[in-house]
Amino acid sequence: MEYVVGVAVVAVLVAVPAIVLWRVMRGRRELGTSPAERAAFETLHTASLAGPPLRAGLTADGAERASRHLRALLGCAALAITDGERLLVYDGDGDHHADQAFEHAAATLKDGRTQVLTIDCELLECPIRHAVVVPLTTDDRVVGALAAYGQTASAGLVRAAQEVAGWVDSQLELAELDRSRTLLMEAEVRALRAQISPHFIYNSLTTIASFVRTDPERARELLLEFADFTRYSFRRHGEFTTLAEELRSIDRYLILERARFGDQLQVTLRIAPEVLPVAVPFLCLQPLVENAVRHGLESRNGVGRITIIAEDAGAECRISVEDDGLGMDPDRLRRILAGDIPASGGVGLANVDERLRQVYGDEYGLVVETAQGAGTKVNVRLPKYHPGVSAR
């Protein structure tokens, strides 16, 4: 009987009617007395508890935290999860069989097929007599196995174990996507560093060298600012930082650029104190300021002005970086942001735009106002709080 219940539960997990889902979201008390509605709620609730641990990938800790919930979905006496090399967890009755669990999974790990096994046990009271072992896969690769143990190996238990394993596969694939996203963001930060560093380092060191004989104290101060800036830009920990830290790095950058341009570079900052603790993607603003200096001011004559504004806008923080430089052709800018053409010789706005969209969604990309001869204004909207975003 317990395996029949398991099959019904998994069937509900795979295809719950929309009206049941709607009622589930409104709360347990509105589910009524229908057995199907109660089963749907309990199944969804149990699955919701098993999901988060698996989103970290197929690890011993995640498998242990998810195992009792998966066993509840199957209604089996015991459950084991392995990766390709070892047993990760054995949960339930008959734990004297735990030492054999990886051996039970060996054939499934090798050929990727579901196996139904008979378990020999000398203890008459042991409820473990059969095992259904199903593969766990990501990207069509067998990465582990799930084994459901009980007194019988009914067709219902086989189907239920396969369905639950398929759901686990989807959680593991989401974990792979999360890891890929993290690696992509790290690669993009490295690309930004590569774009920023050669041009800026050369000009900064040249400027500092020009002060060594004429004003040694000034040269020393600039060298310390340069050291602090590079230490921040090339740090190895954390995808996110606070707006305060990002602005502090920008200030160091502008100190070095003002030493180079003198009175030709004028900077105005208007920063609302309320937004300073907001978590932002690392190096998401400094490239915009460097872009303003390089493309807005380097090729023009006379004084160049940059204005940086960060405002409190309720649930959002709104930031703008504006210069009164040469501007650019809007059609060319659209092609750069779309990735159709490279931003030759400059810090890629497309890189920053893509990172913002990956973290917050498409509605939070860059908005750029520009025209040839009319300067450039880059607008950024950031939510003050967003799941998964914190400065640690």
Side-chain angles (χ1 to χ4, degrees), residues 1-9 74-77 127 130 148-158 160:
M1 180 63 69
E2 60 183 13
Y3 301 124
V4 175
V5 172
V7 178
V9 165
L74 289 169
C76 57
H130 291 85
Y149 293 88
Q151 290 187 346
T152 63
S154 65
L157 181 61
V158 173

Side-chain angles (χ1 to χ4, degrees), residues 80 82 87 90 94-106 117-122 126 128 131 133 147 149:
T82 78
L87 174 69
Y90 183 97
D95 56 6
H96 53 282
H97 291 291
D99 292 340
Q100 305 166 343
F102 187 77
E103 181 182 344
H104 297 159
L117 308 176
T118 299
I119 308 298
D120 293 326
C121 185
E122 296 179 353
C126 180
I128 307 302
V133 187
Y149 293 88

Side-chain angles (χ1 to χ4, degrees), residues 257-316:
E257 292 291 48
R258 280 195 293 266
R260 176 183 169 204
F261 288 105
D263 294 337
Q264 287 185 307
L265 175 58
Q266 296 184 4
V267 180
T268 300
L269 290 92
R270 296 206 303 270
I271 311 298
E274 297 85 354
V275 300
L276 291 176
V278 173
V280 300
F282 179 60
L283 283 183
C284 72
L285 298 181
Q286 194 276 336
L288 307 183
V289 177
E290 181 171 354
N291 196 75
V293 172
R294 294 181 63 181
H295 295 288
L297 303 174
E298 281 188 346
S299 301
R300 63 166 288 168
N301 296 321
V303 176
R305 295 175 177 83
I306 293 177
T307 301
I308 303 171
I309 299 173
E311 299 175 313
D312 183 11
E316 293 182 340

